[in-house]
Amino acid sequence: MPYVGLDKKTNKRVNILRVNDPRDEFVKGQIVCPYCDEEMAIRGSKYHKPKIHFMHLSDQCKSGYKSHPESPEHLFFKEYLAENLSKEFEDYQTASVELEYPISNLKRIIDVAFTFPNGWVVAHEVQLSAISEEDLAARTKDYQNEGIDVIWWLGKSADTKSNRQWCREKLGSCYTINYELLEQITEETGIL
């Protein structure tokens, strides 16, 4: 369920969350996948679950980019990071932020990328499904070989003692997602 598509008229990436009324803004066939060029449809609503997003007509990207289906919680949290990290961290205020940032050499898509004026990129990756330390290390090394720093946000099945310890030892910090609190906020606000 990507938030980003490619507008064939302008040849620019479009974040659907930044468009007031995407169904009025775009005509059928105008938005395609930025990776495989397949036409995308608009699904969901800005106000209800699932949140508005693009969807491949065939239901999957054929580009070869490594990606996995994203749960509503994953989508919510990557949007939350994109909206709030620059408010929380002064260093991030000079960076541009982009959801679903492609790294063509790796055939990977960063959940949320912050690019600083000097070109430095910090990837924020949300991981909710189970992942091994070896997989964390391999994905982190891929990014680091491209000159990209990575910060992992661990939640649900990925939030294990060993994964937290790996992040602290190898990256110097560990960020976790408290889904009990998120669910409470969701119930109180109706957002998600």
Side-chain angles (χ1 to χ4, degrees):
M1 297 191 295
Y3 285 141
V4 177
L6 182 71
D7 185 336
K8 287 174 55 173
K9 284 185 179 177
T10 64
N11 203 34
K12 292 186 178 180
R13 290 169 50 91
V14 174
N15 180 339
I16 197 167
L17 300 173
R18 305 283 179 265
V19 179
N20 284 335
D21 194 344
R23 289 184 175 92
D24 284 343
E25 180 82 19
F26 306 117
V27 298
K28 184 178 179 350
Q30 183 176 347
I31 301 298
V32 297
C33 173
Y35 315 112
C36 72
D37 206 38
E38 179 182 331
E39 180 180 342
M40 298 186 90
I42 298 169
R43 295 287 185 259
S45 163
K46 281 190 171 189
Y47 310 105
H48 302 98
K49 293 182 200 175
K51 192 119 181 169
I52 198 160
H53 59 277
F54 292 118
M55 185 182 101
H56 287 81
L57 292 181
S58 67
D59 207 27
Q60 68 179 1
C61 183
K62 296 171 182 62
S63 68
Y65 273 79
K66 298 167 189 135
S67 65
H68 305 283
E70 295 178 332
S71 66
E73 294 90 351
H74 187 113
L75 291 169
F76 171 85
F77 202 72
K78 73 182 187 182
E79 179 188 359
Y80 180 85
L81 291 174
E83 292 292 322
N84 291 289
L85 282 180
S86 60
K87 295 174 189 171
E88 295 294 323
F89 299 106
E90 189 175 325
D91 295 354
Y92 278 53
Q93 292 175 1
T94 62
S96 64
V97 61
E98 193 166 345
L99 285 171
E100 301 165 7
Y101 183 84
I103 306 298
S104 58
N105 292 349
L106 300 176
K107 292 291 188 199
R108 289 199 185 279
I109 301 169
I110 297 172
D111 283 335
V112 184
F114 286 85
T115 305
F116 292 83
N118 63 2
W120 177 49
V121 176
V122 178
H124 286 262
E125 288 289 342
V126 176
Q127 185 66 38
L128 305 179
S129 58
I131 188 169
S132 68
E133 292 173 49
E134 292 79 17
D135 286 339
L136 280 172
R139 288 170 62 182
T140 298
K141 184 176 180 183
D142 283 349
Y143 284 135
Q144 289 173 338
N145 287 343
E146 293 294 316
I148 298 168
D149 287 338
V150 64
I151 296 173
W152 289 98
W153 294 82
L154 306 174
K156 294 194 172 189
S157 301
D159 185 18
T160 65
K161 183 178 179 180
S162 63
N163 285 346
R164 288 190 305 269
Q165 182 176 344
W166 183 90
C167 286
R168 284 187 198 101
E169 288 176 5
K170 303 297 183 187
L171 303 175
S173 62
C174 178
Y175 295 92
T176 59
I177 303 166
N178 181 335
Y179 270 93
E180 290 76 27
L181 180 59
L182 179 59
E183 288 174 0
Q184 179 184 347
I185 292 169
T186 300
E187 288 174 12
E188 291 171 3
T189 63
I191 298 172
L192 183 63

